[in-house]
């Protein structure tokens, strides 16, 4: 299911790229388009993410996603880097609930060699959470939907809300 309102009031797991866009935009909205790791996105994409996050019941993540976001955002420099880490810490402490699966278990999944650690961990989130996964990664999105895990492709939202 990829309707725009799918996440309303439900737990939401945001993948690495989009969580990075959110954190960078919370530092400075204009940095979304300027930072090399988020330059494929526009400030309007940040605005879309904020609206989605505001309508979600709660935000869940894995420590694998947080580590990737931290490593990518750590490439900011100077004051922006410091502010980024402050925003990420605030998100992690106040808004994100860690639902990480045990690493050895999910790394046995055959898709691990194709998707890597963070995305495979997302695939193994406990289905009883009822979380919707928001991703812009086509491979992850397709694997989620193949497994019957509810996912929304952010690129579908971008297409539906532009123009």
């Amino acid at each position: 299911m990829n309707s725009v309102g799918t996440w309303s009031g439900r737990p939401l797991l945001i993948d690495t790229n989009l969580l990075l866009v959110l954190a960078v935009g919370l530092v400075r909205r204009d940095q979304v388009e300027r930072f090399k790791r988020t330059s494929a996105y526009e400030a309007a994409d940040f605005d879309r993410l904020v609206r989605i996050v505001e309508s979600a019941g709660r935000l869940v993540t894995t420590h694998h996603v947080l580590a990737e976001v931290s490593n990518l955002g750590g490439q900011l420099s100077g004051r922006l880097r410091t502010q980024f880490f402050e925003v990420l810490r605030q998100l992690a402490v106040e808004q994100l609930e860690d639902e990480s699966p045990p690493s050895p278990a999910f790394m046995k999944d055959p898709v691990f060699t194709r998707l890597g650690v963070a995305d495979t961990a997302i695939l193994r989130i406990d289905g009883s959470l009822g979380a919707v996964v928001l991703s812009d990664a086509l491979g992850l999105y397709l694997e989620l939907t193949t497994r019957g895990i509810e996912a929304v492709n952010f690129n579908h939202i971008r297409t539906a809300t532009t123009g």
Side-chain angles (χ1 to χ4, degrees), residues 92-145:
V93 170
E94 296 177 11
Q95 290 186 284
L96 294 169
E97 296 177 28
D98 189 338
E99 298 289 347
S100 299
S103 294
F106 78 80
M107 293 174 82
K108 294 176 185 175
D109 192 310
V111 299
F112 171 73
T113 58
R114 184 167 43 91
L115 297 180
V117 172
D119 287 354
T120 305
I122 290 171
L123 286 170
R124 302 303 295 254
I125 292 293
D126 183 357
S128 68
L129 292 173
V132 177
V133 178
L134 180 63
S135 178
D136 69 343
L138 183 59
L140 174 60
Y141 172 75
L142 293 174
E143 191 64 35
L144 287 161
T145 57

Side-chain angles (χ1 to χ4, degrees), residues 35-55:
F35 179 43
K36 68 181 176 179
R37 295 297 185 170
T38 57
S39 63
Y41 302 90
E42 301 173 353
D45 294 321
F46 166 73
D47 297 337
R48 289 178 187 101
L49 280 172
V50 168
R51 285 191 299 275
I52 291 167
V53 166
E54 288 173 346
S55 69

Side-chain angles (χ1 to χ4, degrees), residues 6-157:
T6 299
W7 55 82
S8 185
R10 296 191 45 210
L12 179 70
L13 190 151
I14 304 172
D15 81 356
T16 301
N17 289 337
L18 298 175
L19 189 56
L20 180 64
V21 169
L22 181 65
V24 168
L26 288 170
V27 172
R28 279 195 28 207
R29 186 176 178 272
D30 66 318
Q31 283 301 308
V32 169
E33 295 176 25
R34 292 181 183 171
F35 179 43
K36 68 181 176 179
R37 295 297 185 170
T38 57
S39 63
Y41 302 90
E42 301 173 353
D45 294 321
F46 166 73
D47 297 337
R48 289 178 187 101
L49 280 172
V50 168
R51 285 191 299 275
I52 291 167
V53 166
E54 288 173 346
S55 69
R58 64 187 175 110
L59 298 179
V60 296
T61 192
T62 71
H63 51 262
H64 311 92
V65 169
L66 283 176
E68 280 195 354
V69 170
S70 175
N71 290 338
L72 294 170
Q75 296 174 19
L76 288 160
S77 59
R79 185 162 170 72
L80 288 174
R81 183 176 189 273
T82 302
Q83 291 172 330
F84 170 82
F85 282 125
E86 289 171 358
V87 164
L88 186 59
R89 175 178 33 211
Q90 183 177 7
L91 279 171
V93 170
E94 296 177 11
Q95 290 186 284
L96 294 169
E97 296 177 28
D98 189 338
E99 298 289 347
S100 299
S103 294
F106 78 80
M107 293 174 82
K108 294 176 185 175
D109 192 310
V111 299
F112 171 73
T113 58
R114 184 167 43 91
L115 297 180
V117 172
D119 287 354
T120 305
I122 290 171
L123 286 170
R124 302 303 295 254
I125 292 293
D126 183 357
S128 68
L129 292 173
V132 177
V133 178
L134 180 63
S135 178
D136 69 343
L138 183 59
L140 174 60
Y141 172 75
L142 293 174
E143 191 64 35
L144 287 161
T145 57
T146 297
R147 294 181 184 207
I149 300 168
E150 196 164 1
V152 176
N153 186 324
F154 188 72
N155 292 312
H156 294 164
I157 297 170

